[in-house]
C-alpha cells in the first residue's frame, strides 16, 4: 500500500469509527449516549462549551476559509 | 428561533458565504462573523431558570443521561478526536512546507478540497458548519 493509500485508509477507519459511535449512541447500545446528549452535557459547563466552540470555529476556518 | 426561520437564515448565509473563494479575505471574514457570534454567546450564556447548576444532580424529571454512560461516551469521542488530530498532524508534518500540500500524505483539508472548494459541496459544507455552530452556541 502506498503512503497516500495508508493515510486515506487511516481517515476512513476514523470516519467509520465515528459513524459507529453515532449509531451505537443513538441506539443506546454499548453503554453509550447519543452525540446530542453529550453535546448538551458539554454545553452545561462553560470551559467545555468554550472549547467546543473554539474547535468548531477552527474547523470552519481550516476547511472553508483556507 | 423557529426551525423554519433558522433554516432560511442558515441557507441564505451559506449561499453568500459559499460564493467566496477559499484562501481569500472574504472567506475568512465569512467564517469569522458566525465564529465571533458563537464565541460571544458561549462566554455570555447563563443557565436557564430552574436548570441545575453544573456539577450538581439534575432534577428527577430531567431525561438527560448522566453518569457512567455519559463518561464512557465522552471518553470514546475524546479518544477518536485525539486519534484524528494525531493522524492529521502526522500528515501535515510530512508536508515539505507548512503551506505546501504533500499528495503522498494528504491532510483532511486536502482530501475534502474537491468538496469544499466550490459548488454545491461548498454550500452543503457551509450549511453543516453553521448548523453545528448554532447547535453548540444556542441558549
Amino acid at each position: 500500500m502506498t503512503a497516500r493509500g495508508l493515510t486515506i485508509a487511516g481517515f476512513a477507519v476514523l470516519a467509520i469509527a465515528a459513524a459507529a459511535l453515532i449509531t451505537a449512541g443513538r441506539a443506546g447500545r454499548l453503554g453509550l449516549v447519543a452525540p446530542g446528549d453529550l453535546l448538551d452535557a458539554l454545553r452545561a459547563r462553560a470551559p467545555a462549551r468554550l472549547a467546543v466552540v473554539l474547535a468548531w470555529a477552527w474547523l470552519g476556518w481550516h476547511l472553508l476559509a483556507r | 428561533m423557529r426551525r423554519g426561520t433558522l433554516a432560511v437564515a442558515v441557507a441564505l448565509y451559506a449561499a453568500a458565504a459559499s460564493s467566496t473563494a477559499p484562501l481569500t479575505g472574504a472567506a475568512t471574514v465569512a467564517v469569522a462573523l458566525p465564529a465571533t457570534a458563537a464565541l460571544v454567546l458561549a462566554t455570555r450564556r447563563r443557565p436557564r431558570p430552574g436548570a441545575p447548576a453544573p456539577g450538581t444532580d439534575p432534577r428527577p424529571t430531567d431525561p438527560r443521561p448522566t453518569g457512567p454512560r455519559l463518561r464512557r461516551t465522552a471518553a470514546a469521542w475524546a479518544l477518536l478526536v485525539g486519534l484524528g488530530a494525531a493522524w492529521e498532524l502526522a500528515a501535515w508534518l510530512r508536508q515539505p512546507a507548512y503551506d505546501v500540500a504533500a499528495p503522498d500524505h494528504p491532510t483532511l483539508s486536502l482530501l475534502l478540497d474537491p468538496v469544499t472548494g466550490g459548488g454545491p459541496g461548498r454550500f452543503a459544507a457551509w450549511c453543516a458548519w453553521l448548523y453545528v455552530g448554532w447547535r453548540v452556541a444556542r441558549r
Side-chain angles (χ1 to χ4, degrees), chain A:
Chain A
M1 180 181 276
T2 63
R4 178 180 173 82
L6 184 65
T7 304
I8 293 173
F11 283 122
V13 168
L14 290 168
I16 291 168
L21 279 181
I22 292 169
T23 304
R26 285 184 172 170
R29 303 206 171 177
L30 303 175
L32 299 174
V33 301
D37 292 334
L38 177 62
L39 195 58
D40 286 343
L42 290 174
R43 288 174 57 233
R45 295 166 175 82
R49 185 169 64 244
L50 196 59
V52 172
V53 170
L54 284 172
W56 165 80
W58 177 83
L59 203 62
W61 173 77
H62 188 61
L63 296 178
L64 300 170
R66 61 177 296 274

Side-chain angles (χ1 to χ4, degrees), chain B residues 3-129:
Chain B
R3 282 186 180 274
T5 308
L6 173 73
V8 170
V10 164
L12 286 175
Y13 191 89
S18 61
S19 68
T20 63
L23 300 169
T24 61
T28 302
V29 170
V31 169
L33 288 176
T36 304
L39 280 171
V40 169
L41 281 176
T43 52
R44 297 182 64 181
R45 180 172 171 265
R46 296 285 183 273
R48 286 169 298 176
T56 62
D57 289 336
R59 291 165 290 172
T61 56
D62 195 333
R64 289 177 297 182
T66 57
R69 292 180 67 218
L70 196 60
R71 283 195 292 273
R72 189 177 300 125
T73 307
W77 276 106
L79 177 65
L80 192 66
V81 170
L83 285 172
W87 198 251
E88 172 81 351
L89 187 63
W92 183 73
L93 288 174
R94 288 173 182 269
Q95 292 184 166
Y98 81 95
D99 58 347
V100 179
D104 284 346
H105 303 282
T107 58
L108 194 58
S109 54
L110 184 65
L111 290 171
L112 291 176
D113 194 49
V115 177
T116 59
R122 184 167 173 79
F123 173 72
W126 265 102
C127 287
W129 183 72

